[in-house]
Amino acid sequence: MLEIKDLHVSVDGKKILKGLNLKVETGKVHAIMGPNGSGKSTLSYVLAGRDGYEVTGGSIVYNGEDLLKMKTEERAAKGIFLAMQYPVEIPGVTTMMFLKSALNAQKRARGEPELDAMGMLKLVRAKAKDLQVSEEMLKRALNVGFSGGEKKRLEILQMSLFEPKMAILDETDSGLDIDALKLVAEGVNTLRAPDRSMLVITHYQRLLDFIVPDRVHVLAGGQIVKEGGKELALELEEKGYADVVKVPA
Ligand code: ADP
Ligand code: MG
Ligand code: MG
């Protein structure tokens, strides 16, 4: 699904990723863990195609295509979805309006037929119900005054509506409480599918108590320095990053 080779990335002239290698398999959940400031969020932004991240070396192949040649919208159209760590608040737009226009924009970009108002309403309502997003929340202004848990639920709802091929969740600094963590985990677990890969980025091991990853990769100093199965996450929890990995200078 995704193969990153010797990736080098700078932001504002500062080198952040320094030769990162990573392979993500179709249908699997991969976790990326790593100390603060190791470049985890940078990696997620580079994959989504956010402006300001300069790739100075290496390659990213996504489903056989050169990801780095694709514009942000094209990546989204081809199934890459980055859940927003800090969701935007839009006072004049209801959550339902936002989901409708975002989903139809996605469908246009994919060359799929758009849904009419009735079809859209039905779809959003059905998925919202599954994820315990209330009708009342859909009528409120987007993210305005939403609790942390409500924002997370909306994020998962958006993800399930978009049906991504490659979902990236960056939870590093969001300070989720245990209920929000469980929600994210439930969402991720529900969305596991043979044709969908997920990259779950987290600083904390406890998220991985609820999402059992197929592979764990440790990012430190801009490189993947260790890889393993789910037991690696437990080892990190027990011993800390410093004891488990040698952080490159
Ligand atoms: P993580 O998500 O693992 O905590 P980040 O990817 O957010 O790490 O950041 C990696 C490093 O890059 C940090 O040292 C951070 O301070 C630095 N960094 C991130 N964004 C910028 C920026 N816009 N300008 C300069 N340095 C940045
Ligand atoms: Mg950070
Ligand atoms: Mg981060």
Side-chain angles (χ1 to χ4, degrees), residues 9-10 40-41 69 79 89 111 127 147 175 179 220 223 245:
V9 174
S10 296
K40 301 182 298 296
S41 294
K69 287 219 174 89
E89 299 184 4
K127 296 246 185 198
S147 69
D179 291 337
Q223 294 177 357
V245 300

Side-chain angles (χ1 to χ4, degrees), residues 35-38 40-41 85 172-173:
N36 255 324
S38 57
K40 301 182 298 296
S41 294
Q85 199 172 354
T172 315
D173 302 304

Side-chain angles (χ1 to χ4, degrees), residues 41-248:
S41 294
T42 301
L43 174 64
S44 70
Y45 295 142
V46 171
L47 290 172
R50 193 194 252 209
D51 283 342
Y53 293 82
E54 193 197 349
V55 176
T56 58
S59 61
I60 307 179
V61 175
Y62 172 65
N63 282 327
E65 290 186 88
D66 183 352
L67 186 78
L68 295 172
K69 287 219 174 89
M70 296 179 203
K71 294 202 172 98
T72 308
E73 310 78 62
E74 200 182 342
R75 296 179 195 202
K78 291 194 165 155
I80 292 192
F81 178 85
L82 173 61
M84 300 259 268
Q85 199 172 354
Y86 304 104
V88 280
E89 299 184 4
I90 313 182
V93 173
T94 68
T95 302
M96 180 59 111
M97 275 157 67
F98 166 76
L99 288 173
K100 278 156 91 171
S101 70
L103 187 56
N104 269 337
Q106 173 88 343
K107 291 206 173 283
R108 279 195 298 280
R110 283 184 186 172
E112 292 169 5
E114 288 181 38
L115 286 171
D116 62 19
M118 217 38 226
M120 184 67 81
L121 205 64
K122 264 188 160 163
L123 178 67
V124 175
R125 278 195 176 141
K127 296 246 185 198
K129 204 168 166 226
D130 287 348
L131 295 164
Q132 298 167 44
V133 172
S134 66
E135 281 286 323
E136 189 259 346
M137 214 174 116
L138 293 173
K139 286 182 193 148
R140 277 160 64 188
L142 183 65
N143 284 317
V144 177
F146 282 21
S147 69
E150 287 171 335
K151 284 179 181 168
K152 282 293 133 190
R153 249 180 256 154
L154 178 59
E155 177 182 292
I156 300 291
L157 173 59
Q158 203 183 336
M159 188 161 99
S160 85
L161 284 166
F162 279 26
E163 304 186 320
K165 290 277 171 258
M166 169 93 227
I168 306 161
L169 290 101
D170 185 353
E171 305 298 337
T172 315
D173 302 304
S174 43
L176 297 182
D177 60 24
I178 202 79
D179 291 337
L181 277 182
K182 281 185 182 162
L183 260 167
V184 171
E186 242 178 69
V188 166
N189 291 331
T190 314
L191 291 171
R192 279 181 194 255
D195 61 345
R196 176 174 297 143
S197 304
M198 288 191 254
L199 201 55
V200 178
I201 300 176
T202 183
H203 178 68
Y204 302 107
Q205 196 277 330
R206 49 178 198 164
L207 180 61
L208 303 180
D209 286 339
F210 307 109
I211 302 171
V212 179
D214 297 296
R215 295 290 292 165
V216 175
H217 313 261
V218 182
L219 176 49
Q223 294 177 357
I224 299 294
V225 293
K226 200 173 170 91
E227 297 180 305
K230 57 178 193 288
E231 67 287 345
L232 178 55
L234 299 172
E235 193 187 340
L236 284 166
E237 159 104 324
E238 205 178 297
K239 300 180 185 162
Y241 287 106
D243 275 357
V244 177
V245 300
K246 199 168 158 278
V247 179

